[in-house]
């Protein structure tokens, strides 16, 4: 019975320790992932601000008709270069428009396929997300805006599981705008719009998941060691409590404690022996009778044998 209690205590201690280890690993994974995600997002936005600021400065002196082609080439080149960025900062589109929504220069060839005189306003650049750049002062950079392009991650189960904890992963496209002013006059002449992706979040999630499994494995090993220590301490405490009294005296093995298994030599005994504390068997109950009971004297040798030999009923004591 005591062995079963020790085993049960160890199992419960192991479950509790492993549960704490798993919870701590999951909490650490979530906290570190949120912090890393915010860091990636801030670094990408800061990089986008630096990029659009440089483009806006270089575009101020190239708004004449004969120099807009240079802007088209520069925008297209920048989009192509960032498409292979290792950190996942990808610029997908750069466009320069006037207040009427007509595209002056763009990395998207569909917007500049026609001559400038024949171009029509693009409805996309007349939406509130793009017209907010009309109110920006010189050198003022707008706030990054999520365009709402949803990514369902149909082929990536891991991203489907993680995306609810990082909602912005499902909306990778971000818009950043800035006003372009005349190089000599404090007059806004165009608006610059840059569409980009903040980072390679799929690679980020993969790295964080590998880190989580590594942390969980280490914590599980530590939890197993803690459970073994608790089980050994429980066994030691129970042994001390059952071996000594409250005043510190050692408790000898009780003579009435029956053995679980007893070997018997059937060549010298009549059969299995039931172990008992008192060698003398209880006296049979007395019954009243009309006449005097006959007195039978037992030989002394038989009495000695009966005192030394226990009653024979079974070889295994079952409690």
């Amino acid at each position: 019975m005591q062995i079963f209690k020790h085993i049960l205590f160890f199992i419960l201690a192991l479950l509790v320790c492993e549960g704490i280890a798993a919870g701590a690993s999951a909490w650490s994974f979530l906290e570190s992932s949120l912090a890393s995600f915010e860091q990636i997002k801030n670094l990408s936005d800061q990089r986008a601000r630096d990029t659009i600021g440089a483009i806006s400065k270089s575009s101020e002196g190239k708004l004449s008709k004969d120099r807009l082609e240079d802007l088209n080439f520069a925008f297209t080149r920048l989009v192509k270069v960032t498409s292979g960025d290792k950190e996942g900062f990808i610029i997908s589109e750069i466009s320069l428009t006037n207040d009427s929504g007509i595209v002056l220069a763009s990395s998207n060839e569909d917007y500049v396929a026609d001559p400038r005189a024949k171009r029509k306003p693009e409805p996309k650049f007349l939406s509130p997300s793009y017209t907010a750049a009309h109110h920006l002062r010189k050198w003022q950079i707008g706030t990054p805006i999520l365009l709402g392009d949803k990514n369902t991650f149909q082929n990536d189960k891991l991203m489907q599981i993680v995306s609810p904890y990082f909602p912005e992963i499902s909306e990778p496209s971000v818009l950043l705008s800035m006003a372009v002013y005349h190089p000599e006059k404090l007059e806004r002449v165009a608006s610059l719009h840059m569409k980009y992706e903040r980072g390679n979040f799929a690679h980020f999630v993969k790295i964080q998941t590998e880190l989580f499994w590594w942390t969980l494995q280490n914590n599980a090993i530590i939890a197993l060691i803690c459970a073994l220590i608790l089980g050994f301490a429980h066994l030691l405490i129970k042994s001390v409590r059952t071996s000594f009294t409250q005043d510190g005296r050692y408790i000898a093995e009780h003579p009435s404690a029956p053995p679980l298994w007893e070997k018997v030599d059937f060549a010298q005994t009549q059969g299995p022996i039931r172990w008992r504390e008192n060698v003398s068997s209880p006296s049979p109950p007395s019954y009243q009778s009309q006449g005097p009971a006959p007195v039978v004297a037992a030989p002394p040798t038989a009495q000695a044998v009966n005192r030394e030999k226990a009653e024979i009923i079974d070889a295994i004591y079952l409690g």
Side-chain angles (χ1 to χ4, degrees), residues 37 40-41 159 168-169 198-206:
F37 179 78
I40 291 176
K41 184 176 67 175
M159 294 295 293
E168 295 183 1
I169 290 181
R198 280 174 168 163
N200 190 354
F201 293 121
H203 181 65
F204 158 75
V205 171
K206 181 180 179 181

Side-chain angles (χ1 to χ4, degrees), residues 166-271:
F166 307 96
E168 295 183 1
I169 290 181
S170 302
E171 301 179 10
S173 298
V174 184
L175 174 66
L176 187 62
S177 302
M178 188 174 181
V180 179
Y181 279 74
H182 193 276
E184 298 177 357
K185 303 177 182 180
L186 294 178
E187 179 182 354
R188 187 182 58 82
V189 292
S191 298
L192 184 64
H193 308 285
M194 185 175 69
K195 182 179 176 182
Y196 66 96
E197 295 183 6
R198 280 174 168 163
N200 190 354
F201 293 121
H203 181 65
F204 158 75
V205 171
K206 181 180 179 181
I207 294 177
Q208 291 295 323
T209 304
E210 293 177 354
L211 179 61
F212 166 72
W213 288 118
W214 180 81
T215 305
L216 180 61
Q217 181 180 0
N218 292 340
N219 290 344
I221 296 175
I222 296 174
L224 177 60
I225 296 175
C226 293
L228 291 173
I229 294 175
L230 290 176
F232 178 75
H234 178 264
L235 179 62
L236 183 61
I237 292 173
K238 294 293 290 184
S239 300
V240 172
R241 290 184 59 185
T242 55
S243 301
F244 294 89
T245 60
Q246 295 182 354
D247 55 357
R249 291 183 302 173
Y250 178 74
I251 302 176
E253 185 179 358
H254 199 279
S256 63
L260 181 62
W261 186 273
E262 182 179 2
K263 291 185 178 181
V264 178
D265 188 0
F266 290 96
Q268 300 178 2
T269 60
Q270 297 179 3

